[in-house]
Amino acid sequence: MPTFVESSGLPADVYSAKCPTREILDHIAGKWTVLIIDALADGTMRYTDLRHRIDGISQKMLTQTLRQLETNGFVTRTVHPTIPPRVDYTLTELGHSLRTPIAALREWIEANINRIEAARRAAAL
């Protein structure tokens, strides 16, 4: 039985450009989203800890991605009234539901990186 999008009453269809599922797929499939969710799978992290854990992410991109994750209900943001302010990020129940598929994707990539690089080298000849 198909799932229907409450806002439109139409069936959820990620292949349809008009369906909001497409926007969510674009967001979830982004490299920074995948890395942030995978990093938070181990538990609550501070902003600075996430920045150190995810090599190469800019402050702007981390902030932007965390805001999108919070808006979409995948992450909760907790500001502690300390000086300086401390901000913690935690996966929500919805965010936790992404842990298994994201971990499987990471493990598959790490297990197959040598085969992928070999294919790239062969294609470059």
Side-chain angles (χ1 to χ4, degrees):
M1 181 168 187
T3 300
F4 289 86
V5 180
E6 289 181 18
S7 61
S8 67
L10 297 173
D13 180 7
V14 76
Y15 293 101
S16 171
K18 295 178 183 177
C19 186
T21 57
R22 176 78 63 89
E23 179 186 351
I24 300 304
L25 176 64
D26 288 345
H27 177 61
I28 290 173
K31 72 177 174 181
W32 300 124
T33 298
V34 169
L35 291 171
I36 290 168
I37 289 175
D38 199 45
L40 289 173
D42 294 333
T44 299
M45 293 183 80
R46 295 172 72 173
Y47 181 92
T48 53
D49 295 331
L50 280 166
R51 184 104 190 272
H52 291 291
R53 175 75 175 106
I54 304 169
D55 189 31
I57 192 168
S58 68
Q59 183 174 347
K60 178 183 176 183
M61 190 52 64
L62 178 57
T63 299
Q64 181 180 337
T65 306
L66 284 167
R67 282 185 186 147
Q68 287 178 327
L69 287 167
E70 184 179 10
T71 298
N72 289 322
F74 298 115
V75 168
T76 57
R77 178 179 185 264
T78 305
V79 179
H80 300 277
T82 60
I83 299 174
R86 188 178 114 207
V87 181
D88 291 333
Y89 292 91
T90 306
L91 291 178
T92 62
E93 183 180 335
L94 186 60
H96 276 287
S97 71
L98 284 171
R99 289 175 59 192
T100 300
I102 287 176
L105 180 61
R106 176 183 38 80
E107 290 166 7
W108 182 89
I109 291 167
E110 290 172 350
N112 288 284
I113 188 62
N114 292 327
R115 293 172 62 196
I116 295 165
E117 286 185 335
R120 287 178 172 178
R121 284 190 302 275
L125 295 179

